[in-house]
Amino acid sequence: MGKARTLAEVYRRFGEVDAAGTSSLYERVAVALSESDEALRAIEAAPARKRHPTLILAALHDLALAGRAPALAAAYASADGDAAADAAIDTLLRMTDSVVAIAARRRTPTNGSENGNGRCAVLYPAIAEAARRVGAHSVGLIDVGCSAGLNLHVDRVGITYGDGLSLGDPSSPVRVSCSVVGDRPVPARAIPEVVARVGIDPDPVDVTDPDEARWLRACLWPDRSGQSGQSGQSELPGRSERPGQPGRPERVAALEAEIALVATAPPLLLRGDAVDLLPDAFDQIPADTLPVVTTTWALSRLPLESRLRFLHRLDEAAAGRAVAWVSAEGVGVAPAIPTLGDRRASGHSIIGLAVFDGAALRAEAIGRCWSRGRMLAWLADS
């Protein structure tokens, strides 16, 4: 019972805190699951690290989208919280094995997530800055923790900043907005030609596979409501409010645009450990092209030893040519990147740029960001 009570608390908190004000459906469903001993026992059939509400609810949503849980799909479509709670519990009890199987082999994506993809707004100027410093006329992108691969198409996204700057492709169907904090402008420099796109992930999502594309849709909350505020306006860091978040229709449309964009030129996806596969990824980048490795909130999942090995791999790859690493990670997570004296629990992330060139390593913190890239403070000299 101790485990069940702990799990019940996790689901109740998710409903009453995480989903409250964002998804009335998930608020009701999560609380209902927390109050059902049978549902909690079914969830405990999943591995311990696969019992989190976001993953179990996404697995249930996946079954609904696949047509295997029509009552749940109907309840979600009607936005009926009570019906959704009843249908979720019924689906979980009837299809425990299916829910557990989905949760066991999946994880919620780190990119293209429920919060929208602000990562591109952070990555674009940082990649362009890396190319400027090296004098590169073309780049090959290697994204670690690539999930569905949108980071690898950063040059094909249209990005608008709160100070009026636009970067990327103005005709792109994928649009990203980002508030600007502080008085230092984001550089207007363009990313040079991208000649290679390689993703490394333990469980990469191939958007050309219908089942995997459906999983991305399942990870969107079924009735997400918008947040107050305008995403194009600056907001003081440290406030608890997030910049304006897209509602359900807008987020669905954005995800569909992201899937379609990546599907037009699918990146090479390498499945496995990032540290082990980095040499294979570098082999895919032409010799006259600058490899730019990107990590966005991916290294925090690795122990310190693996992060140091990751840094060593980059150094090894730079024996024959320059290599750049652009990171957006929590304070103190990315090895060699200065923390600017910020505290680890400060609520923002550091944007790092490291250039490896032979025996030389130049590592700098070039910015800070909040809300997974929806707010950006640029710090580097242009």
Side-chain angles (χ1 to χ4, degrees):
M1 288 299 294
K3 288 185 178 180
R5 281 196 298 271
T6 301
L7 194 60
E9 292 169 358
V10 169
Y11 274 76
R12 177 171 290 279
R13 177 175 174 79
F14 179 84
E16 295 179 345
V17 178
D18 297 336
T22 300
S23 170
S24 60
L25 285 179
Y26 271 5
E27 179 179 4
R28 182 70 188 91
V29 169
V31 171
L33 291 172
S34 78
E35 296 172 343
S36 169
D37 290 340
E38 289 182 302
L40 293 172
R41 282 194 293 270
I43 294 170
E44 285 188 323
R49 62 188 180 86
K50 295 289 190 173
R51 298 172 188 168
H52 193 273
T54 55
L55 187 55
I56 295 298
L57 291 172
L60 288 166
H61 196 191
D62 189 61
L63 292 172
L65 293 176
R68 299 173 62 190
L72 182 59
Y76 281 166
S78 65
D80 186 331
D82 290 335
D86 292 340
I89 292 175
D90 178 68
T91 301
L92 178 60
L93 297 182
R94 286 189 303 103
M95 307 181 70
T96 300
D97 290 347
S98 295
V99 174
V100 169
I102 294 171
R105 76 173 187 271
R106 296 290 194 189
R107 60 188 177 100
T108 51
T110 57
N111 302 342
S113 68
E114 184 64 30
N115 289 331
N117 201 308
R119 292 166 168 81
C120 288
V122 169
L123 290 176
Y124 193 103
I127 294 170
E129 177 65 14
R132 181 190 73 84
R133 294 187 180 190
V134 175
H137 299 291
S138 62
V139 298
L141 301 180
I142 300 172
D143 191 40
V144 173
C146 63
S147 188
L150 184 62
N151 285 359
L152 293 165
H153 290 269
V154 58
D155 57 313
R156 303 178 63 207
V157 172
I159 307 167
T160 302
Y161 295 88
D163 59 1
L165 174 67
S166 294
L167 294 176
D169 182 357
S171 64
S172 176
V174 178
R175 311 295 304 173
V176 173
S177 60
C178 178
S179 300
V180 176
V181 178
D183 55 6
R184 182 162 293 188
V186 177
R189 196 170 295 108
I191 291 177
E193 181 185 7
V194 178
V195 299
R197 308 174 197 270
V198 184
I200 309 174
D201 196 280
D203 185 25
V205 177
D206 179 0
V207 299
T208 64
D209 183 312
D211 290 343
E212 298 196 15
R214 188 184 65 241
W215 174 247
L216 292 179
R217 299 180 180 103
C219 289
L220 290 183
W221 295 8
D223 71 330
R224 175 171 190 136
S225 56
Q227 302 286 334
S228 62
Q230 299 299 318
S231 60
Q233 296 177 348
S234 294
E235 181 177 29
L236 290 176
R239 290 178 56 184
S240 60
E241 295 89 343
R242 290 176 292 177
Q245 298 287 318
R248 167 71 181 172
E250 294 83 3
R251 191 66 196 105
V252 170
L255 177 61
E256 295 302 330
E258 292 170 10
I259 290 173
L261 180 70
V262 176
T264 60
L268 173 64
L269 299 178
L270 303 180
R271 182 185 300 270
D273 179 82
V275 178
D276 293 338
L277 291 175
L278 266 177
D280 295 334
F282 281 115
D283 287 344
Q284 305 300 318
I285 309 301
D288 59 349
T289 296
L290 172 68
V292 181
V293 178
T294 57
T295 65
T296 52
W297 301 283
L299 296 186
S300 60
R301 298 194 299 269
L302 302 179
L304 177 59
E305 179 186 4
S306 294
R307 282 179 264 156
L308 294 175
R309 288 178 55 228
F310 169 82
L311 191 69
H312 183 63
R313 289 288 197 194
L314 297 178
D315 187 55
E316 288 179 332
R321 60 176 170 181
V323 169
W325 168 35
V326 169
S327 60
E329 304 283 353
V331 177
V333 171
I337 300 299
T339 61
L340 304 173
D342 298 344
R343 296 173 300 171
R344 287 181 179 270
S346 56
H348 66 268
S349 299
I350 299 289
I351 306 166
L353 172 57
V355 176
F356 303 77
D357 195 353
L361 166 60
R362 291 168 289 161
E364 181 182 344
I366 60 173
R368 296 184 178 97
C369 65
W370 294 259
S371 299
R372 285 296 196 261
R374 296 183 66 85
M375 297 172 61
L376 168 64
W378 188 261
L379 303 177
D381 294 327
S382 300

